[in-house]
Amino acid sequence: MQSTAGLPPSWEVRHSNSKNLPYYFNTSTKESRWEPPSGTDTEALKSYMATHHSSAPIRSPDVSKDGGKIRAAHLLIKHKDSRRPSSWRENEITRTKEEAISTLLGHEARIRSGQASLGDLAMTESDCSSARKKGDLGYFGRGDMQKEFEDAAFAMKPGECTWVFRLREEPLS
């Protein structure tokens, strides 16, 4: 029987004090991990995480030039041809690149219209583990992220938003 978090028996969600993030712990084997264990009901987990592990709202603007570092948040949707086609939401991602783009464009429309915030959507829809922190990637410098993402992030002004783009490919028009 699964828990209300959608985790298999003996698994529970705990909170890391050092990283200020939730993680998964098996009370029988004492195994801990950042990614959900096999057999997790991802829909139940998304709901549980949104309810019980919401982080504080991200302050705006979130960009600081201190020490050559900036702060950014994002919402990542992977597809079956992604470098690692799995995430905390799905053990095996089967959506096509076109489906991922369509999903992102739908999220973008909801954000632009004010129906949802990036942080709220990231918590339940992002395939990045930063979803736990409303998509907040924290502070990073040059060379810390994939080049395409980093170039876009460093080109932005404080509080500015860029929209859907692909890594290692031409930006969407």
Side-chain angles (χ1 to χ4, degrees):
M1 181 176 170
Q2 291 187 322
S3 69
T4 58
L7 298 172
S10 301
W11 284 94
E12 62 187 29
V13 179
R14 291 193 174 177
H15 193 83
S16 166
N17 292 324
S18 61
K19 295 196 180 274
N20 196 27
L21 291 172
Y23 67 96
Y24 306 97
F25 182 77
N26 187 309
T27 57
S28 297
T29 65
K30 308 301 183 213
E31 176 188 357
S32 63
R33 57 191 301 168
W34 295 109
E35 299 294 326
S38 179
T40 297
D41 177 341
T42 55
E43 289 304 312
L45 180 61
K46 281 176 20 176
S47 176
Y48 177 85
M49 295 302 277
T51 303
H52 300 286
H53 286 275
S54 297
S55 61
I58 296 172
R59 293 179 310 275
S60 185
D62 275 326
V63 180
S64 170
K65 297 286 183 184
D66 296 339
K69 294 188 177 223
I70 62 171
R71 186 175 183 186
H74 76 149
L75 191 157
L76 174 69
I77 302 294
K78 292 182 176 184
H79 54 81
K80 66 182 181 180
D81 297 321
S82 294
R83 184 175 43 144
R84 192 176 64 84
S86 65
S87 75
W88 72 273
R89 294 180 341 111
E90 298 174 80
N91 287 329
E92 181 184 355
I93 294 172
T94 58
R95 77 180 66 83
T96 65
K97 189 181 297 185
E98 293 74 22
E99 290 168 330
I101 292 168
S102 176
T103 298
L104 279 169
L105 291 172
H107 293 327
E108 177 183 336
R110 291 180 63 203
I111 294 167
R112 283 185 188 254
S113 73
Q115 291 177 331
S117 71
L118 171 73
D120 289 340
L121 283 174
M123 287 199 61
T124 59
E125 304 303 318
S126 183
D127 286 318
C128 181
S129 60
S130 69
R132 298 174 184 124
K133 296 191 298 184
K134 294 192 171 194
D136 186 5
L137 297 169
Y139 290 95
F140 58 91
R142 291 269 183 200
D144 292 340
M145 300 286 179
Q146 289 187 8
K147 184 176 179 355
E148 297 85 352
F149 178 82
E150 188 176 279
D151 288 347
F154 273 91
M156 294 167 42
K157 295 179 178 111
E160 186 179 12
C161 213
T162 187
W163 302 103
V164 175
F165 70 92
R166 302 178 201 167
L167 294 178
R168 286 186 234 100
E169 297 182 30
E170 292 299 311
L172 293 172
S173 47

